[in-house]
């Protein structure tokens, strides 16, 4: 049974990357409103792990109407790099480091890690990633440009774009859709009173009344649904536990309705968050005929109203571009089954009189593919996914599919009888091929849970295959794809600081930090898995810096930035300013890619390259300012808008969630060789946290920042919660100051 389930999810990983919003009147690939809904793949660059790095412009665009998400850039050829950086020695006391006098390195542990590993991570680089680079520039300290700082910048702009689209377009569209569906559902109720369909029709009136109310509308609450509506709204407002839903009769986790991420604190966005969470989570179980009747009536009310369907399709298409397609059954699947059972025109007379047609419809929906990610509480012993209908289902993601197969009940107890109720962020890079993540998970005991090793091996086997379509299915998938080269250990020919296992761990923290930001930015849309229940300076200092040489990452980042602009332009949602900014992001990544290739050939960079590295912080600051300038009319400081974020990524229905978070960026010191000189360069990297937390207190960014002492609490006090440590596996390359 377990093997069959795992085989199913592996096949669905491919199928779901091809999912589209259905069209009732247009052929696949057509979209009169701008941008086809067909998701097409694109050819990527060379094999993972090879030293050759495909140029950004060498990736092909998709062939369908909807923009492909990897590629579609101007051809710029391909450069194949065989890393050939000449080895260099770092003296134990750092005595051969050219600019040692620029730094105050007195602690023996710190010096030991820096000399042995070629780098060390410690302390705080400020509240934002750009700050250390600007300080370096004024102090003539060489910059070390990190992948972390670039990925964080994409997070800033991704969330900025999505937030503005939600406020300026989607919130009004979902409001209009809710009111139209409420009117349509109320009309159906009046016509179906007295029939076997009456209660199903009433349920739908309640369903869309709640959605409209969450959006700030005040439609009349009909007497026949008043209690149902009020109880649901009260529980959403309380958001304190798991209760039985008055709409579906099944358990619902009302803590999910706590606005978090960038939604918290903005009334319009909070309303949008709760309404979309409602439409994305409420589940009409296929096995329950009453729920099936409601699902069929929703499908009829939507698809027979051209304006309503256009609104639904536009919301689904744009959100899918960002976050991916849903693996839940929905309108697209149910309308096809209904047409087969009832005919093209589903009249109310036929609906009421032809029970045999309904039985055929019910049988057909029972044969439709199962969702692969469970997001609703289920009891021990039940199937870990329950088929059913969602109006605007939350989205399937590769990482959630991985995590689902590595927690209870897809894996069983360990020898002590414990259950793996929550995943680990490292499950994701491990399944994507990281041996280091796998080793850490083994040390932590993950493989002691029955079935974990077998499921992990199957996931690794599938995900190691070339599958451009899977990785180009959305910006979400493209973001993960951009991070994948970090998981490949760097061997001979790379700079000495990149060749140790400690650098491989550092790259894991970069992956985890950026992954946390990805989950934070898509917390509303991506399905969450749930288990079953100063001295003198050297005169004329050479401040030429260094770029972390990860050509694959920069190539993929450039493609992703280009496709973000291309996709939003196709949907008519890209301003000229945003197009220019995304072009700047593309150009930054393209420049870093070119510099990386030169570094791996052990070439001396041009004066323009070194100037670019020295002024890198200003580029990052520009994007930070763009994303926060509307927060206040006054100048915003990084203290007011810091980098630290938190997001819950999985739920244990016994009252615990898994929180992933980033704190202030940390400082990284790296011993590099620039034009024959061995020197220390300095940059900023992620500071990653992972911990369990109470279900009813899903953390917001503000509360997390207050816990870290970054922001003042409601009483104006700055506190620091020392009880939340960084993961143990980060300690081997980090240095902890006495005051931390």
């Amino acid at each position: 049974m377990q093997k069959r389930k795992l085989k199913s999810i592996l096949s669905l990983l491919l199928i779901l990357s091809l999912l589209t919003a259905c069209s009732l009147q247009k052929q696949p690939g057509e979209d009169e409103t701008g941008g086809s809904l067909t998701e097409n793949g694109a050819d990527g660059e060379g094999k993972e792990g090879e030293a050759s790095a495909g140029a950004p412009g060498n990736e092909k665009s998709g062939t369908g109407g909807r923009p492909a998400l990897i590629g579609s850039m101007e051809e710029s050829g391909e450069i194949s790099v065989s890393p050939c950086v000449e080895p260099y020695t770092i003296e134990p006391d750092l005595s051969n480091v050219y600019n040692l006098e620029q730094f105050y390195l007195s602690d023996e542990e710190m010096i030991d890690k820096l000399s042995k590993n070629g780098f060390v991570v410690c302390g705080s680089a400020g509240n934002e990633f750009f700050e250390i680079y600007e300080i370096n520039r004024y102090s003539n300290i060489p910059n070390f440009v990190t992948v972390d700082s670039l990925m964080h910048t994409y997070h800033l702009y991704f969330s900025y774009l999505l937030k503005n689209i939600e406020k300026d377009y989607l919130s009004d569209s979902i409001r209009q859709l809710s009111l139209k569906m409420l009117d349509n559902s109320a009309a159906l109720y009046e016509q179906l009173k007295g029939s076997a369909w009456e209660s199903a029709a009433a349920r739908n009136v309640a369903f869309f009344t709640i959605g409209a109310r969450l959006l700030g509308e005040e439609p009349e609450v009909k007497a026949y649904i008043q209690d149902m509506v009020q109880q649901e709204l009260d529980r959403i407002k309380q958001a304190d536990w798991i209760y039985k839903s008055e709409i579906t009769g099944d358990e619902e986790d009302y803590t999910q309705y706590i606005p978090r991420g960038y939604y918290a604190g903005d009334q319009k966005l909070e309303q949008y968050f709760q309404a979309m969470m409602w439409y994305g989570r409420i589940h009409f179980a296929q096995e329950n005929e009453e729920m099936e009747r409601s699902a069929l009536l929703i499908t009829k009310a939507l698809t027979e109203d051209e304006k309503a369907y256009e609104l639904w399709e536009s919301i689904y298409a744009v959100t899918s571009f960002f976050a991916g397609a849903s693996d839940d059954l929905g309108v697209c699947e149910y309308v096809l089954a209904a047409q087969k059972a009832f005919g093209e025109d589903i009249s109310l007379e036929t609906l009421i009189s032809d029970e045999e047609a309904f039985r055929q419809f019910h049988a057909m929906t029972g044969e439709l593919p199962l969702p692969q990610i469970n997001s609703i509480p289920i009891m021990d012993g039940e199937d870990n996914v329950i088929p059913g209908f969602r109006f605007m289902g939350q989205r399937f993601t590769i990482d959630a599919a991985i995590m689902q197969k590595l927690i209870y009940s897809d894996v069983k107890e360990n020898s002590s009888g414990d259950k793996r109720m929550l995943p680990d962020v490292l499950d994701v890079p491990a399944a994507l091929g990281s041996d280091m993540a796998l080793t850490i998970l083994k040390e932590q005991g993950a493989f002691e849970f029955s079935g974990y090793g077998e499921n992990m091996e199957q996931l690794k086997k599938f995900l190691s295959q070339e599958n451009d379509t899977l990785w180009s299915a959305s910006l979400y998938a493209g973001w993960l794809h951009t991070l994948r080269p970090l998981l490949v250990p760097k061997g001979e020919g790379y700079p000495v600081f990149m060749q140790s296992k400690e650098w491989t761990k550092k790259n894991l923290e970069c992956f985890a930090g950026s992954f946390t930001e990805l989950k934070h930015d898509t917390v509303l849309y991506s399905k969450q898995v749930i288990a079953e229940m100063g001295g003198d300076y050297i005169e004329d200092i050479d401040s030429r810096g260094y770029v972390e040489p990860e050509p694959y990452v920069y190539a993929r980042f450039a493609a992703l930035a280009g496709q973000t602009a291309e996709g939003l332009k196709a949907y008519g949602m890209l301003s000229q300013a945003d197009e220019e900014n995304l072009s700047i992001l593309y150009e930054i990544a393209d420049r870093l890619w070119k510099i990386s290739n030169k570094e791996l050939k052990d070439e001396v960079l041009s004066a323009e390259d070194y100037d670019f590295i020295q002024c890198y912080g200003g580029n990052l600051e520009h994007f930070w300012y763009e994303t926060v300038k509307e927060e206040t009319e006054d100048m915003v400081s990084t203290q007011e808008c810091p980098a630290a974020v938190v997001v819950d990524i999985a739920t244990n229905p016994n009252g615990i969630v898994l929180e992933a978070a980033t704190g202030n960026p940390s400082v990284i010191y790296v011993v590099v060789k620039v034009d024959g000189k061995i020197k220390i360069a300095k940059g900023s990297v992620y500071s990653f946290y992972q911990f369990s937390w109470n279900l009813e207190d899903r953390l917001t960014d503000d509360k997390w920042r207050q816990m870290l002492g970054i922001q003042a609490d409601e009483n104006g006090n700055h506190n620091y919660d020392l009880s939340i440590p960084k993961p143990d596996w980060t300690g081997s390359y980090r240095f902890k100051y006495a005051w931390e």
Side-chain angles (χ1 to χ4, degrees):
M1 182 65 176
Q2 290 298 317
K3 290 183 178 179
R4 185 162 68 250
K5 286 182 179 179
L6 186 56
K7 184 177 180 180
S8 175
I9 191 172
L10 295 177
S11 63
L12 259 294
L13 279 165
L14 176 59
I15 294 170
L16 284 164
S17 67
L18 299 169
L19 283 179
T20 63
C22 60
S23 177
L24 305 183
Q25 301 176 357
K26 298 185 281 290
Q27 295 298 314
E30 298 178 356
D31 179 21
E32 297 169 1
T33 62
S36 168
L37 303 178
T38 305
E39 299 183 8
N40 292 287
D43 293 333
E45 63 269 22
K47 292 181 180 180
E48 199 70 53
E50 291 183 353
S52 62
N58 195 49
E59 301 189 7
K60 302 174 185 177
S61 62
T63 57
R66 174 174 176 165
L69 300 174
I70 301 293
S72 184
M73 297 176 294
E74 182 180 356
E75 293 287 339
S76 63
E78 181 175 349
I79 297 177
S80 181
V81 176
S82 297
C84 56
V85 177
E86 184 179 346
Y88 52 95
T89 302
I90 306 170
E91 295 296 332
D93 61 355
L94 305 178
S95 58
N96 64 332
V97 174
Y98 161 74
N99 62 338
L100 184 60
E101 294 179 30
Q102 286 188 289
F103 305 92
Y104 301 95
L105 306 178
S106 59
D107 192 282
E108 291 184 7
E109 181 189 348
M110 185 177 183
I111 293 171
D112 183 60
K113 288 185 176 181
L114 185 54
S115 61
K116 285 183 177 178
N117 300 327
F119 76 100
V120 67
V121 177
C122 59
S124 171
N127 291 302
E128 254 296 339
F129 279 72
F130 70 83
E131 291 181 284
I132 197 69
Y133 294 106
E134 287 294 87
I135 292 171
N136 289 349
R137 183 163 67 93
Y138 290 120
S139 303
N140 285 324
I141 292 175
N143 276 335
F144 183 78
V145 175
T146 62
V147 168
D148 309 56
S149 61
L150 186 66
M151 293 307 305
H152 173 73
T153 302
Y154 185 73
H155 142 70
L156 288 176
Y157 218 67
F158 179 99
S159 61
Y160 167 79
L161 291 169
L162 184 53
K163 177 172 66 175
N164 286 344
I165 287 169
E166 289 166 334
K167 290 186 73 169
D168 297 343
Y169 300 96
L170 299 183
S171 61
D172 186 59
S173 294
I174 196 66
R175 181 188 61 81
Q176 291 182 52
L177 177 60
S178 296
L179 294 174
K180 289 191 71 66
M181 289 299 292
L182 176 55
D183 288 344
N184 294 346
S185 297
L188 283 174
Y189 172 80
E190 293 300 326
Q191 297 173 77
L192 292 169
K193 279 194 300 187
S195 74
W197 294 78
E198 180 178 353
S199 64
R203 183 179 299 107
N204 291 352
V205 177
F207 179 68
F208 289 108
T209 298
I210 293 165
R213 287 262 169 169
L214 291 173
L215 287 161
E217 296 294 319
E218 296 186 0
E220 177 189 358
V221 181
K222 306 293 185 182
Y224 58 87
I225 57 168
Q226 200 162 43
D227 290 344
M228 189 185 305
V229 169
Q230 192 59 51
Q231 288 191 45
E232 291 286 6
L233 289 174
D234 286 346
R235 285 174 179 164
I236 290 171
K237 183 178 180 179
Q238 292 166 3
D240 61 352
W241 199 246
I242 299 170
Y243 302 105
K244 185 170 288 188
S245 168
E246 297 298 319
I247 293 289
T248 66
D250 292 327
E251 299 289 319
E252 172 61 0
D253 182 359
Y254 290 93
T255 69
Q256 292 279 4
Y257 296 88
I258 300 172
R260 47 209 194 276
Y262 60 74
Y263 300 93
D266 184 300
Q267 183 181 18
K268 189 172 186 179
L269 286 175
E270 286 188 348
Q271 291 172 341
Y272 175 81
F273 178 94
Q274 291 189 324
M276 287 294 285
M277 189 67 76
W278 174 255
Y279 290 139
R281 287 190 55 81
I282 293 302
H283 180 260
F284 298 84
Q286 189 277 335
E287 63 185 9
N288 186 320
E289 287 195 6
E290 266 299 296
M291 297 301 112
E292 278 281 84
R293 292 181 190 274
S294 285
L296 180 53
L297 290 177
I298 289 174
T299 301
K300 177 178 173 64
L302 179 65
T303 57
E304 293 181 0
D305 183 329
E306 185 176 352
K307 177 60 177 176
Y309 183 76
E310 286 179 358
L311 287 166
W312 179 90
E313 187 179 43
S314 66
I315 296 167
Y316 183 86
V318 174
T319 54
S320 293
F321 173 71
F322 277 94
S326 173
D327 65 334
D328 289 306
L329 302 177
V331 171
C332 301
E333 294 80 11
Y334 270 53
V335 72
L336 295 176
Q339 289 172 347
K340 289 180 181 178
F342 291 94
E344 290 293 321
D345 182 21
I346 311 172
S347 68
L348 289 178
E349 292 76 12
T350 303
L351 207 62
I352 295 170
S353 63
D354 196 343
E355 279 297 311
E356 178 58 31
F358 176 72
R359 282 192 289 272
Q360 291 178 14
F361 166 79
H362 187 51
M364 282 188 281
T365 59
E367 296 299 317
L368 292 170
L370 294 173
Q372 295 306 302
I373 301 167
N374 176 52
S375 61
I376 56 177
I378 58 176
M379 299 303 293
D380 196 357
E382 295 179 348
D383 289 338
N384 65 345
V385 289
I386 300 174
F389 173 96
R390 284 188 168 104
F391 181 61
M392 187 76 71
Q394 290 181 306
R395 310 313 161 86
F396 170 92
T397 62
I398 298 164
D399 55 274
I402 291 169
M403 291 179 178
Q404 184 71 64
K405 307 315 294 182
L406 299 174
I407 60 173
Y408 189 78
S409 64
D410 281 270
V411 299
K412 303 303 181 182
E413 296 89 346
N414 62 15
S415 59
S416 300
D418 298 325
K419 299 171 182 176
R420 196 174 196 254
M421 302 298 289
L422 290 171
D424 190 297
V425 167
L426 292 187
D427 289 340
V428 179
L432 294 177
S434 170
D435 291 336
M436 180 58 72
L438 212 60
T439 297
I440 295 169
L441 288 165
K442 286 180 179 178
E443 293 172 351
Q444 293 176 349
F447 281 76
E448 296 173 12
F449 293 93
S450 178
Y452 181 93
E454 293 85 346
N455 286 7
M456 175 63 79
E457 192 58 37
Q458 289 294 322
L459 288 165
K460 284 179 59 184
K461 183 177 180 180
F462 176 82
L463 291 167
S464 67
Q465 301 170 14
E466 292 297 324
N467 190 341
D468 296 324
T469 301
L470 178 65
W471 295 109
S472 64
S474 64
L475 294 182
Y476 186 110
W479 187 331
L480 271 182
H481 183 62
T482 301
L483 295 172
R484 289 171 66 206
L486 294 174
L487 307 179
V488 181
K490 306 304 186 290
E492 186 177 349
Y494 279 88
V496 294
F497 63 84
M498 298 183 75
Q499 295 183 31
S500 71
K501 67 177 183 179
E502 304 307 329
W503 187 263
T504 305
K505 287 183 183 179
K506 192 282 303 178
N507 274 353
L508 270 185
E509 187 167 12
C510 177
F511 183 102
S514 185
F515 174 75
T516 297
E517 292 178 331
L518 170 59
K519 300 302 288 185
H520 172 274
D521 297 346
T522 58
V523 64
L524 174 58
Y525 302 105
S526 60
K527 242 183 181 182
Q528 187 173 120
V529 298
I530 184 169
E532 201 166 322
M533 244 35 195
D536 295 331
Y537 290 111
I538 305 171
E539 294 182 7
D540 301 322
I541 186 73
D542 180 357
S543 61
R544 291 178 295 175
Y546 203 84
V547 169
E548 181 179 351
E550 286 280 5
Y552 275 121
V553 173
Y554 303 131
R556 292 178 180 183
F557 186 101
L560 187 60
Q563 285 309 114
T564 303
E566 182 183 331
L568 293 180
K569 193 171 186 178
Y571 292 124
M573 295 181 176
L574 185 70
S575 69
Q576 183 176 349
D578 289 331
E579 186 172 10
E580 290 173 355
N581 281 327
L582 285 166
S583 178
I584 293 171
L585 264 186
Y586 173 96
E587 290 166 3
I588 291 172
D590 184 59
R591 189 68 173 268
L592 295 177
W593 166 75
K594 291 172 181 175
I595 291 173
S596 289
N597 280 301
K598 291 180 182 179
E599 289 176 338
L600 291 177
K601 292 179 179 179
D602 219 9
E603 295 179 359
V604 177
L605 305 183
S606 68
E608 290 77 14
D609 290 336
Y610 286 123
D611 285 343
F612 174 82
I613 295 171
Q614 190 173 34
C615 297
Y616 178 68
N619 286 317
L620 299 192
E621 184 176 15
H622 164 78
F623 282 96
W624 174 82
Y625 178 72
E626 284 294 300
T627 62
V628 304
K629 64 184 179 182
E630 296 178 3
E631 298 291 329
T632 176
E633 294 180 359
D634 301 321
M635 283 296 294
V636 185
S637 72
T638 56
Q639 185 74 27
E640 296 171 276
C641 299
V645 296
V646 65
V647 61
D648 46 280
I649 63 173
T651 300
N652 174 347
N654 297 311
I656 301 295
V657 297
L658 180 66
E659 300 276 7
T662 61
N664 276 341
S666 296
V667 177
I668 186 169
Y669 297 93
V670 186
V671 181
V672 300
K673 187 177 68 173
V674 177
D675 194 13
K677 292 179 181 177
I678 296 175
K679 60 171 66 175
I680 296 174
K682 189 177 179 183
S684 53
V685 293
Y686 285 110
S687 184
F688 170 70
Y689 297 81
Q690 176 178 235
F691 53 94
S692 58
W693 200 252
N694 289 335
L695 175 83
E696 67 273 18
D697 187 31
R698 294 176 188 262
L699 291 174
T700 63
D701 291 342
D702 281 347
K703 186 165 184 177
W704 170 241
R705 291 164 181 168
Q706 289 168 15
M707 289 168 61
L708 292 180
I710 298 172
Q711 289 183 178
D713 62 20
E714 58 274 9
N715 298 317
N717 299 318
H718 284 267
N719 305 303
Y720 186 82
D721 190 343
L722 296 173
S723 65
I724 301 176
K726 295 180 176 65
D728 289 342
W729 53 268
T730 67
S732 58
Y733 57 85
R734 282 184 170 270
F735 169 74
K736 190 173 183 179
Y737 290 106
W739 60 81
E740 293 185 278

